[in-house]
Amino acid sequence: MFPTSVEETQKALEAHHYIADKGLSVAVFLALKLRRPLLLEGEPGVGKTEIVKVLAQMLGTRLIRLQCYEGLDISSAVYEWDYARQMMQIRLLEATGERDQDKVRHEVFSLEFLLKRPLLQALQSQDGQAPVLLIDELDRADEEFEAFLLEFLSDWQITVPEVGTLKAEQPPVVVITSNRTREIHDALKRRCMYYWIDYPSFDKEYRIVREKVPGVPEKLAQQAVAFVQELRKQDLYKAPGVAETLDWASSLLALGQTELSGEVVEETLGVLLKYQDDVVKAKNQARDLLARAQMFPAL
């Protein structure tokens, strides 16, 4: 059952350990209420994919994920025929003396021999409940695939030439994510609710760390979040996302740290930063960043 208000949506997300601000809660609520796809954009690691997993848990339904990449085609995203089983069926029919080609064609090109990929699977409800469909990192796919999605998102149906049109009993809950490596076409955006997930504020990120990394000392969590917040202000090729903050807090906890020190910061920068130039730059500024993090007002 869908939440009946924005406040209920926000509380339900929090109950599943996802800290969402009011704007994101409004976008999720409206997407569910109006049964519109939700397009989430933002830097990598800010929680776009995570909220979809939580949404599936929250609604008590299955999650179907389509990971996009360059060259993604219909056979990987929608369906393909099980050619091996079709050939075996043809030989069995021949062995029985069946010679009616139309009958053979009708039999081997039926739903029984169709391998359903994520988009086709998403049209099927289970126990009367539609699934949550995650179309992840759409900006990685080619524009031709984006064009194909227009019909899917408008009519919730897919046409298989040999079988006919397959339509959803209930529209799936669809969330599309993009890291904005290229612009998503306006025609697709018009079919979606839209929300940009930014890097979180200190308060929000601190709450996320405390929620997601049980046992992390309060002082360590505050200093780690403050350090990451300062690090994001630097001119880096790839600033750390929330996912990296959580990995760092977990790593510091695993090392038995109770507060940040210059030595442990330098030794663990590779958890936060994935490019050597960024690591070198951060090491050069680590002392100043740490000093600012340690001066950050306690909550």
Side-chain angles (χ1 to χ4, degrees), residues 103-154:
K103 185 177 179 181
V104 171
R105 188 180 302 111
H106 181 73
E107 186 157 334
V108 297
F109 284 104
S110 63
L111 289 175
E112 182 183 350
F113 297 95
L114 201 62
L115 297 174
K116 297 173 183 174
R117 303 307 185 200
L119 293 187
L120 196 51
Q121 292 171 16
L123 297 183
Q124 294 181 310
S125 300
Q126 284 186 356
D127 300 325
Q129 193 159 15
V132 171
L133 172 63
L134 166 62
I135 302 176
D136 208 10
E137 299 182 333
L138 180 60
D139 51 323
R140 290 177 178 266
D142 302 317
E143 292 186 9
E144 290 78 7
F145 179 72
E146 222 179 284
F148 173 81
L149 281 180
L150 295 179
E151 179 189 0
F152 177 80
L153 296 176
S154 295

Side-chain angles (χ1 to χ4, degrees), residues 227 231 262 265-266 269 280-292:
F227 186 91
L231 193 57
V265 166
E266 289 201 16
L269 276 175
V280 171
K281 192 176 292 184
K283 277 185 178 178
N284 292 335
Q285 299 172 339
R287 181 175 296 179
D288 292 339
L289 295 175
L290 179 59
R292 276 180 258 166

Side-chain angles (χ1 to χ4, degrees), residues 30-48:
L30 290 177
L32 295 174
K33 180 82 174 176
L34 304 178
R35 294 186 177 272
R36 296 274 299 276
L38 175 61
L39 172 59
L40 296 176
E41 287 193 325
E43 298 292 339
V46 292
K48 301 187 294 298

